[in-house]
Amino acid sequence: MFSKRTRLYTNFNLLNFFHIIKSFFLRKKNFQNELQNYLGTNNISLTSQGRSALYEIIKIIIKKKNKRIFFIAPYTIPAVIHAIKYAGGEVVYIDLDKSTGLIDEDKLETKIDKNSAGVIITHLYSSSIHIEKFLERFKNKISIIEDAAINFGAKSNDKYLGTLADYGFFSFNIVKNLNTLNGGAIYIKDNQTFHEYVTKKKHDKFPALNTINLLITIIILKLFFNNTIYQLFHYFLVIVYKKKINFILKKIYPILFHNYEEEIPKTYSYDFNWIMNDVGIYNLKKIEKDFHERRNKAMIYSKLINNQVAIKYDRFSNDNALLEYTIILKNIDNQKAHVKLMEEGYDIRHTWYINNYSKEKNEKNENFNDTYLVENKIFCLPLHNNISEKDIHKISSIINSFV
């Protein structure tokens, strides 16, 4: 009977409501200090969001170098591109390498010149070998910024992603593995630059109304997307997808509706929401345990899914946090795969990131062939607590039918 499942899930749990109350009256430890200890560096500062951390990084680099051109693969969330522009940067797209998930090294090499300010690498499904090779090739040539938004806790040679290059940023929003409802963090390698940033940092207090709205969102997620109620809510989602009811789809896939606004969002001026201090500390303690549970599920997918239907990236040695298990479908597009799985009761993510080049230019360009392929073929399989081994077997069986 209870056979239908959804990818929508948040690690924010009922106990975290107690941690919010606790933060009002008794705050023995500081989340930022705990985060610094975990990541093994003092050069970490909390921000209101991951995108606002990138915004600060771009401003720092522009001021230091008096250069504005930043390279990035177009396969990312629009908010990243917007943050660069809000900070005064100019975006130049370079195709990603589908085999590594990083920006194409050879194409980047040909683009770097005296006007280049930085490059943003998005940690999708890259391995330690790919990451270290990239960093070695481009260190001292250009400022390297790591987007570790979906890979908090992953490591490369015993150092955490997001702290390997010149700069890094993290996201702790409601669907991330380290969850503080909203929030992020910035990493700056150079001690003097970090000290200058922290000294001059002035932000407004995070609004209480925003916190209330986030808590309402969490309650809705917990209510409608638990395994029991979802048996009925699934049919409502079927209608939402078929009828393309946008005001609901905006909540499920916000990246598809994220448009550039001329004015910088107010959230960029906010400080970290310190009401979430104890929530962050508690969830940070669970990071390793949660990762091992996700890895075990990902390994089952990898074992069950046939090589003839998908390319599988076996990143199981701590170099990917496995928020979800990503594969690249060979014989079917992810949108069509989503429809087929939806018919079987499984709402699997049909869009991860988007091709910002094609969205902005409204045209296809052969210089971004790998980006188009990944955008249309990548499939993100759920690993959260509401997904059982039985579910994984059924999902894998359905995917194996895509011959």
Side-chain angles (χ1 to χ4, degrees), residues 94-123:
I94 296 178
D95 199 12
L96 58 74
D97 182 340
K98 67 177 182 295
S99 65
T100 68
L102 297 174
I103 197 168
D104 188 293
E105 292 185 19
D106 293 335
K107 291 180 179 179
L108 174 62
E109 189 77 64
T110 64
K111 292 286 187 179
I112 295 176
D113 60 24
K114 63 180 181 180
N115 297 315
S116 304
V119 56
I120 298 95
I121 57 172
T122 308
H123 291 302

Side-chain angles (χ1 to χ4, degrees), residues 81-93:
I81 306 303
H82 299 168
I84 298 170
K85 293 179 178 180
Y86 288 140
E90 298 177 18
V91 176
V92 173
Y93 293 120

Side-chain angles (χ1 to χ4, degrees), residues 298 301-302 312-314 316 324-327 379-381 383:
Y301 277 123
S302 180
K312 299 174 292 185
Y313 296 103
D314 299 338
F316 303 134
E324 293 175 305
Y325 180 56
T326 55
I327 60 175
F379 212 42
C380 301
L381 305 178
L383 302 171

